[in-house]
Amino acid sequence: MAAMTTPSCPCGLPEPYEKCCGRFHAGAAAAPTAEALMRSRYSAFVRLDAGYLLRTWHPGTRPRRLDLDPGTRWTGLEILDTTAGSAFHSTGTVTFRASYRGGSLHERSRFERVDGAWVYVDGEFPAP
């Protein structure tokens, strides 16, 4: 009898989705760091969870709605750099490369705490 394997989380960490980003998506926990929020937001893009993306977007920069393209096939996340963003900070940045079939997105995202929870503020696209 073959053992069942649980796939690792889309964010690239080895934990199963339910124990990694899934608990944030379900509202059972809040991302403890800016990087954890970044990873959970990437997983939300992979899973087409627009509700989570909007909930974790800064109220001052959040769009009214978010239309995700179900044809986009995200293939991996690489964290390139982080500054601040820990439990001891109120702001932080995460620079990452998110790959999808046909290309990649390179962004330096800014995060802040709002009412104690990390949220995505905005991002810039560094020159190659």
Side-chain angles (χ1 to χ4, degrees):
M1 183 171 173
M4 287 186 57
T5 59
T6 304
S8 61
C9 190
C11 80
L13 294 177
E15 290 89 3
Y17 167 76
E18 293 75 21
K19 291 184 178 180
C20 193
C21 294
R23 61 197 170 109
F24 305 141
H25 295 173
T33 65
E35 181 180 334
L37 182 64
M38 171 59 238
R39 288 180 177 279
S40 71
R41 287 176 57 82
Y42 171 82
S43 291
F45 274 102
V46 170
R47 297 177 67 88
L48 302 175
D49 187 345
Y52 179 78
L53 292 165
L54 290 170
R55 285 192 309 275
T56 58
W57 209 310
H58 192 283
T61 57
R62 177 176 43 225
R64 283 204 169 129
R65 57 181 279 180
L66 190 59
D67 296 318
L68 300 177
D69 181 357
T72 301
R73 294 292 175 244
W74 296 100
T75 58
L77 176 66
E78 180 184 3
I79 302 298
L80 304 172
D81 188 41
T82 61
T83 58
S86 78
F88 303 105
H89 299 106
S90 58
T91 63
T93 65
V94 178
T95 304
F96 67 92
R97 181 174 293 110
S99 300
Y100 55 90
R101 193 173 299 146
S104 67
L105 170 73
H106 182 196
E107 182 176 314
R108 180 178 179 264
S109 297
R110 291 188 321 126
F111 297 88
E112 290 181 8
R113 284 187 188 266
V114 172
D115 297 328
W118 285 107
V119 293
Y120 170 79
V121 178
D122 59 19
E124 60 186 23
F125 305 102

